[in-house]
């Protein structure tokens, strides 16, 4: 869209060529996120792209949708803008999904607001989910969790995540996923970087 504003290609605003560190097959991302989508998980589409720079062939790269991009969310949740949080973590740091306090500032280092989401949404949407997930009893958790989380979608993501030979993700490492809450809906897990 450099010359025509708001232009997309098959609903995608950006090209996201992946570095594929350690994936010499170049297909892990495509297979993993394809399995997630087949299981009903909201997951980015992945294709392959041959890259040429000034006519010189640079190689083949997986091209993944940006899961924290507004175009991605609009394509999957057309009913309006919700709350989107990129869960950060790398090399041992992980999101524990634990309640810390009612102050949104306590969570910004781990849960980065994306796609128009801000600290107000963090306080209104994410903190109640984390408070519920941190309850002391199983009965309290069973009672409050369905109010904040699409449990079936969450379990589908966990099942595929655990079946993949992947050290990233929500279930295995507590990193490299997004939490998205559509308007008037419940949170779902959106995987990325598989």
């Amino acid at each position: 869209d450099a010359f025509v504003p708001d232009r997309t290609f098959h609903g995608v605003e950006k090209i996201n060529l992946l570095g594929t560190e350690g994936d010499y097959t170049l297909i892990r991302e495509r297979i993993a996120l394809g399995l997630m989508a087949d299981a009903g998980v909201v997951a980015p589409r992945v294709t392959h792209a041959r890259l040429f720079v000034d006519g010189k062939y640079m190689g083949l790269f997986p091209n993944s949708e940006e899961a924290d991009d507004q175009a991605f969310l609009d394509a999957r949740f057309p009913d309006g803008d919700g709350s989107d949080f990129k869960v950060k973590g790398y090399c041992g740091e992980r999101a524990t999904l634990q309640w810390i306090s009612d102050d949104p500032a306590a969570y910004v280092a781990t849960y980065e607001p994306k796609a128009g989401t801000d600290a107000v949404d963090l306080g209104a949407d994410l903190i109640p989910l984390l408070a519920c997930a941190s309850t002391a009893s199983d009965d309290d958790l069973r009672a409050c969790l369905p109010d904040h989380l699409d449990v079936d979608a969450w379990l589908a993501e966990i099942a595929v995540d655990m079946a993949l030979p992947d050290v990233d993700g929500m279930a295995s490492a507590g990193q490299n996923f997004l939490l998205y809450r559509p308007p008037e809906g419940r949170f779902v897990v959106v995987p990325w970087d598989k």
Side-chain angles (χ1 to χ4, degrees):
D1 60 0
F3 305 105
V4 179
D6 301 322
R7 199 169 182 189
T8 63
F9 180 73
H10 295 280
V12 177
E13 290 180 347
K14 301 174 186 170
I15 293 174
N16 181 25
L17 302 177
L18 305 176
T20 66
E21 178 182 347
D23 179 14
Y24 303 108
T25 66
L26 304 178
I27 60 171
R28 282 187 196 163
E29 187 88 358
R30 190 169 186 170
I31 290 173
L33 292 175
L35 287 170
M36 290 278 185
D38 288 347
V41 175
V42 177
R45 295 175 296 174
V46 182
T47 62
H48 281 86
R50 292 180 293 152
L51 177 63
F52 294 84
V53 176
D54 294 330
K56 181 181 176 191
Y57 179 65
M58 303 303 289
L60 181 70
F61 294 85
N63 176 33
S64 177
E65 283 183 286
E66 286 284 344
D68 59 358
D69 189 278
Q70 190 63 52
F72 173 84
L73 296 173
D74 290 345
R76 275 124 183 121
F77 302 98
D79 57 344
D81 296 336
S83 297
D84 191 32
F85 303 97
K86 187 174 192 175
V87 180
K88 300 187 286 186
Y90 187 71
C91 294
E93 295 179 26
R94 58 181 291 147
T96 61
L97 302 177
Q98 294 293 308
W99 179 85
I100 300 168
S101 79
D102 287 330
D103 181 6
Y107 301 93
V108 175
T110 304
Y111 304 95
E112 179 183 3
K114 299 299 257 181
T117 303
D118 58 26
V120 171
D121 299 314
L122 206 156
D125 295 334
L126 187 63
I127 290 174
L129 167 66
L130 299 178
C132 169
S134 299
T135 60
S137 78
D138 290 346
D139 289 337
D140 290 343
L141 181 64
R142 278 190 210 93
C144 73
L145 200 57
D147 293 338
H148 301 284
L149 181 70
D150 184 330
V151 176
D152 291 337
W154 189 276
L155 292 173
E157 199 282 340
I158 289 172
V160 178
D161 203 17
M162 295 309 295
L164 295 171
D166 182 21
V167 297
D168 279 341
M170 193 269 305
S172 57
Q175 63 188 26
N176 288 2
F177 65 97
L178 291 107
L179 292 169
Y180 179 74
R181 182 182 175 274
E184 309 304 320
R186 296 170 294 156
F187 274 102
V188 295
V189 176
V190 179
W192 64 277
D193 193 23
K194 304 307 289 173

